[in-house]
Amino acid sequence: MTELLYQTDSYLHEFEANVLSVLADERAIILDRTAFYPGGGGQPCDFGSLTLGGVMYPVQKVKKLADDVLHFLGGDAPLPFAGAAARGTLDWVRRHNLMRTHTAMHVLCGTVFRDYGALVTGGDMEPLKGRMDFEFATMRGELVREIEAAVNKEVAQAREIRVKRLPREEAFQIPDLIRTKINLLPEGIAQVRTVEIVGLDLQADGGTHVRNTNEVGKIRITDYKSKGAINKRIYIEIE
Ligand SMILES: [Zn+2]
């Protein structure tokens, strides 16, 4: 089982860990703790490097498998052994840009729900770019400009972002969380991690976010598209 350091400190970008096991065929190792985000919830995995026994392995693929995080080791150096000490370093520019983008996506869906009552049906992101699908009957240029102005106003409010862990029962009492499909969480999960943009948005979320919306930067809506009668896609970029 890998302890997920990024869940409690999204700004941690260097860490020490030990190898729990080595999957030789896949050139992957499982660590007892990690700051690498393995991907999920629309946020891609982190890149970086792991140094073990004086060898630095590039890491460009990280994946969650049940309670473990698999780090795929690039290069062709011999694999380390279970028990070895590792030092991990994230590609911080990529991660921080993903944090800004992920928070921007929450600002967007919080604003659109508040102003138009439209729910999100899907989304995806890469560093400084994202797309989000909403239950909107019509979307037009004028409305897009209106949304863009509203999200940038929220960013400029310098809203704090709070991450918490709540017991499942408590989380299920919060109407905002139910709207974001918390009921889809697997039965076995005893605690729910929540990400709140204070005064704007509250979601069950496993991703990494900035501390304050003032770290996001300017959000531009670059395009929009109809993806069906009640499904409209909005594309954003962060400056
Ligand atoms: Zn999210």
Side-chain angles (χ1 to χ4, degrees):
M1 183 175 170
T2 310
E3 187 191 344
L4 310 175
L5 302 171
Y6 59 84
Q7 286 212 326
T8 43
D9 183 2
S10 61
Y11 287 81
L12 182 72
H13 49 95
E14 286 191 327
F15 66 100
E16 312 277 346
N18 285 296
V19 179
L20 289 180
S21 53
V22 179
L23 290 75
D25 290 351
E26 301 191 71
R27 277 189 76 78
I29 58 172
I30 296 167
L31 301 174
D32 59 349
R33 56 211 294 268
T34 191
F36 278 89
Y37 185 69
Q43 183 182 333
C45 77
D46 288 329
F47 295 167
S49 65
L50 284 168
T51 302
L52 299 110
V55 180
M56 188 165 84
Y57 301 86
V59 175
Q60 296 218 307
K61 185 181 168 191
V62 187
K63 175 173 103 176
K64 190 125 190 273
L65 187 68
D67 287 334
D68 296 323
V69 176
L70 272 58
H71 305 72
F72 295 83
L73 303 182
D76 50 14
L79 291 173
F81 296 101
R87 177 161 188 83
T89 306
L90 302 190
D91 173 343
W92 176 244
V93 172
R94 173 183 166 84
R95 156 62 92 72
H96 189 244
N97 285 340
L98 283 166
M99 284 161 52
R100 291 169 58 203
T101 310
H102 199 156
T103 301
M105 301 283 270
H106 284 215
V107 170
L108 176 63
C109 71
T111 304
V112 167
F113 181 74
R114 182 198 62 197
D115 295 352
Y116 309 96
L119 288 172
V120 173
T121 56
D124 204 13
M125 72 193 90
E126 51 186 291
L128 305 183
K129 259 183 187 183
R131 62 174 171 80
M132 201 163 245
D133 296 342
F134 292 96
E135 284 179 355
F136 253 113
T138 53
M139 181 61 64
R140 45 184 213 287
E142 200 179 297
L143 181 57
V144 165
R145 298 282 80 83
E146 199 175 286
I147 295 170
E148 187 181 69
V151 294
N152 282 302
K153 199 173 155 196
E154 293 307 322
V155 166
Q157 294 284 321
R159 294 189 184 277
E160 191 194 333
I161 288 120
R162 287 184 197 150
V163 177
K164 281 185 199 159
R165 289 181 157 281
L166 300 177
R168 187 187 178 89
E169 295 69 32
E170 198 180 314
F172 271 73
Q173 305 299 315
I174 304 172
D176 275 13
L177 290 182
I178 293 160
R179 133 177 108 75
T180 55
K181 302 186 176 74
I182 189 178
N183 46 331
L184 299 180
L185 291 176
E187 280 287 323
I189 293 179
Q191 286 212 317
V192 178
R193 183 175 181 269
T194 60
V195 174
E196 177 181 19
I197 301 176
V198 176
L200 181 66
D201 185 68
L202 175 61
Q203 296 189 39
D205 195 274
T208 59
H209 290 263
V210 292
R211 293 185 185 105
N212 190 295
T213 58
N214 62 15
E215 265 184 61
V216 168
K218 186 168 161 47
I219 301 172
R220 283 197 309 125
I221 299 181
T222 53
D223 202 2
Y224 62 99
K225 209 178 263 180
S226 180
K227 300 297 284 181
I230 56 148
N231 208 11
K232 302 293 174 282
R233 179 166 291 175
I234 289 177
Y235 296 85
I236 65 163
E237 280 183 28
I238 319 293
E239 281 172 8

